């Protein structure tokens, strides 16, 4: 799978394909799912369309409950054409990317497999107009959910909000690049530049969405004094394996900016890597550092192209804010840093959707 370490191993017999999908998980563990496919099959769940379907289009507030009773929230946005339903579900840490499936009466089924993970949603409208269902992630994740139709539904970003413990402190780190050479944010190449630092992993689908956007953004604005550094937290503790995974990530997304091996995908590693932060609750997490070296904004998660207007809004605000930092001379950035030191202007934690 381009950009991922996951693989399909299968045998072709006529128009049938049969085998397995192997997913690489944290610590390098491998999990397999059986695979069957048929060439030319255009339908996903129902071969024959159904004429009398409920209306699933619109915006829904979603509450998930996992098998341990823990809850989380999201916002679903669906479009429907007769029995075909497409859309995605946004969560504070990102989105489920491009979901597609079928309505049949009051039942809805949606799925996704894009090389990173397989997702299946099955739901049914109850007598109260609520959408009740279950979600399976591969062959190891399961949760139930209830969705309420709500055209004004908005994400609660508080579960992933983070910031600097000391707003006046400088962000500091030193990690090896893919050749093992140590790179520090204090290196001369970053001085007087606007630096975007993103915490990512090649295993993370939303990180791929962000990386594709950042790669193009970097090419367009690097001559204005922009640098981007991606701190990679890979499934492997072994440096060589982590570096190879990152090389695939770079190639898949056309990355020219710096990528450093910062730790493993265990969430604790990200916290240890950047102890100046109040926490790391989502991949990706993106940090803006101005020309004077002051952290000006931190944003957790990324709403990718599947989210439509949310992606447009996020990338627009991302661009506007970054261009504002690039336009500010170093003297103005130093003034902002001085104000932050006085406690007047702490780094913002954004809730862009």
């Amino acid at each position: 799978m381009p950009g991922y370490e996951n693989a399909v191993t299968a045998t072709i017999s006529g128009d049938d394909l049969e085998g397995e999908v192997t997913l690489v998980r944290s610590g390098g563990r491998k999990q397999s799912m059986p695979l069957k496919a048929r060439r030319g099959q255009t339908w996903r769940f129902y071969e024959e369309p159904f004429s009398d379907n409920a209306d699933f289009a619109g915006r829904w507030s979603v509450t998930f409950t996992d098998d341990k009773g823990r809850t989380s929230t999201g916002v679903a946005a669906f479009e429907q054409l007769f029995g075909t339903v497409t859309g995605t579900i946004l969560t504070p840490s990102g989105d489920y990317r491009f979901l597609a499936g079928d309505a049949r009466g009051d039942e809805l089924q949606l799925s996704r497999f894009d090389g990173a993970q397989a997702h299946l949603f099955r739901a049914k409208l109850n007598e109260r107009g609520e959408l009740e269902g279950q979600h399976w992630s591969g062959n190891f994740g399961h949760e139930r959910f209830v969705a309420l139709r709500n055209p004004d539904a908005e994400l609660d970003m508080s579960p992933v909000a983070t910031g600097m413990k000391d707003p006046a402190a400088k962000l500091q780190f030193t990690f090896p690049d893919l050749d093992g050479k140590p790179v520090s944010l204090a290196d001369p190449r970053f001085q007087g530049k606007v630096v975007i630092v993103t915490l990512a992993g090649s295993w993370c689908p939303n990180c791929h969405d962000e990386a594709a956007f950042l790669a193009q953004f970097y090419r367009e604005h690097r001559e204005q004094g922009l640098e981007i550094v991606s701190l990679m937290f890979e499934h492997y503790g072994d440096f060589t394996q982590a570096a190879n995974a990152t090389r695939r990530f770079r190639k898949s997304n056309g990355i020219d900016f710096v990528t450093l091996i910062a730790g493993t995908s265990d969430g604790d590693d990200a916290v240890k890597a950047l102890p100046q932060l109040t926490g790391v609750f989502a991949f990706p997490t993106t940090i803006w550092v101005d020309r004077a070296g002051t952290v000006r904004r931190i944003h957790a998660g990324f709403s990718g192209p599947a989210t439509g207007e949310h992606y447009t809004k996020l990338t627009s605000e991302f661009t506007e804010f970054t261009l504002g930092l690039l336009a500010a001379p170093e003297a103005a950035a130093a003034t902002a840093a001085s104000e932050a030191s006085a406690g007047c202007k702490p780094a913002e934690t954004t809730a862009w959707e």
Side-chain angles (χ1 to χ4, degrees):
M1 299 292 118
Y4 300 98
E5 295 191 287
N6 304 329
V8 170
T9 305
T11 300
I12 297 175
S13 177
D15 287 333
D16 292 321
L17 189 69
E18 187 166 354
E20 64 180 12
V21 178
T22 301
L23 304 176
V24 179
R25 311 302 299 171
S26 179
R29 294 179 297 108
K30 293 184 177 181
Q31 295 181 330
S32 297
M33 296 183 294
L35 167 73
K36 290 184 178 181
R38 172 158 294 180
R39 191 197 313 270
Q41 180 174 305
T42 59
W43 51 275
R44 188 165 296 207
F45 292 104
Y46 303 112
E47 184 173 7
E48 295 296 330
F50 195 67
S51 59
D52 187 16
N53 298 308
D55 178 16
F56 297 99
R59 203 168 175 87
W60 303 73
S61 295
V62 186
T63 300
F64 295 97
T65 304
D66 68 16
D67 292 339
K68 294 183 179 179
R70 297 171 297 194
T71 62
S72 59
T73 60
V75 174
F78 298 140
E79 296 181 0
Q80 183 172 351
L81 180 63
F82 303 107
T84 301
V85 180
T86 58
T88 194
I89 301 175
L90 297 91
T91 72
S93 60
D95 63 273
Y96 281 96
R97 302 180 102 190
F98 294 96
L99 298 175
D102 302 315
R104 190 170 181 82
D106 58 1
E107 296 181 355
L108 175 65
Q109 296 197 71
L110 298 168
S111 64
R112 176 197 114 203
F113 176 70
D114 54 8
Q117 183 55 274
H119 291 276
L120 172 63
F121 295 83
R122 286 178 175 165
K124 185 175 183 178
L125 281 173
N126 64 25
E127 64 277 4
R128 298 181 298 277
E130 300 167 338
L131 196 56
E132 291 185 298
Q134 300 183 70
H135 164 225
W136 291 267
S137 176
N139 54 3
F140 53 88
H142 173 260
E143 57 191 354
R144 297 183 178 276
F145 67 88
V146 176
L148 307 178
R149 192 183 295 276
N150 180 1
D152 301 317
E154 298 290 344
L155 284 176
D156 174 13
M157 299 299 291
S158 60
V160 297
T162 188
M164 294 287 286
K165 293 177 181 176
D166 178 1
K170 301 292 185 181
L171 189 68
Q172 298 177 340
F173 57 77
T174 301
F175 296 110
D177 65 14
L178 303 190
D179 296 319
K181 179 182 176 180
V183 175
S184 170
L185 193 57
D187 290 347
R189 68 174 293 178
F190 302 118
Q191 300 311 297
K193 303 284 188 70
V194 172
V195 184
I196 295 174
V197 179
T198 180
L199 283 63
S202 66
W203 47 270
C204 162
N206 295 130
C207 297
H208 280 260
D209 288 338
E210 185 191 52
F213 168 76
L214 289 179
Q216 180 63 32
F217 192 83
Y218 182 60
R219 286 190 288 270
E220 293 173 355
H221 300 291
R222 63 191 302 179
E223 297 302 322
Q224 297 170 248
L226 174 69
E227 290 292 339
I228 298 177
V229 180
S230 185
L231 304 182
M232 302 297 290
F233 294 86
E234 292 299 320
H235 281 335
Y236 299 104
D238 178 77
F239 177 83
T240 300
Q241 289 180 299
N244 287 338
T246 299
R247 289 189 179 97
R248 283 188 285 272
F249 179 76
R250 290 178 62 89
K251 181 179 179 181
S252 179
N253 293 295
I255 293 173
D256 295 325
F257 53 78
V258 175
T259 47
L260 307 178
I261 304 301
T264 69
S265 52
D266 184 322
D268 290 341
D269 265 20
V271 174
K272 294 174 184 176
L274 294 178
Q276 301 108 311
L277 299 183
T278 57
V280 177
F281 308 104
F283 287 97
T285 289
T286 309
I287 305 166
W288 281 257
V289 181
D290 68 16
R291 294 183 186 273
T294 302
V295 174
R296 297 292 296 276
R297 180 168 286 184
I298 301 174
H299 176 71
F302 189 81
S303 296
T307 67
E309 62 183 30
H310 298 274
Y311 175 73
T312 300
K313 179 182 177 184
L314 184 151
T315 53
S316 176
E317 292 181 343
F318 181 109
T319 300
E320 181 181 0
F321 182 75
T322 306
L323 293 184
L325 294 181
L326 288 170
E330 191 168 355
T335 299
S338 177
E339 291 175 349
S341 297
C344 300
K345 195 178 181 65
E348 302 174 54
T349 299
T350 65
W352 298 338
E353 290 186 5

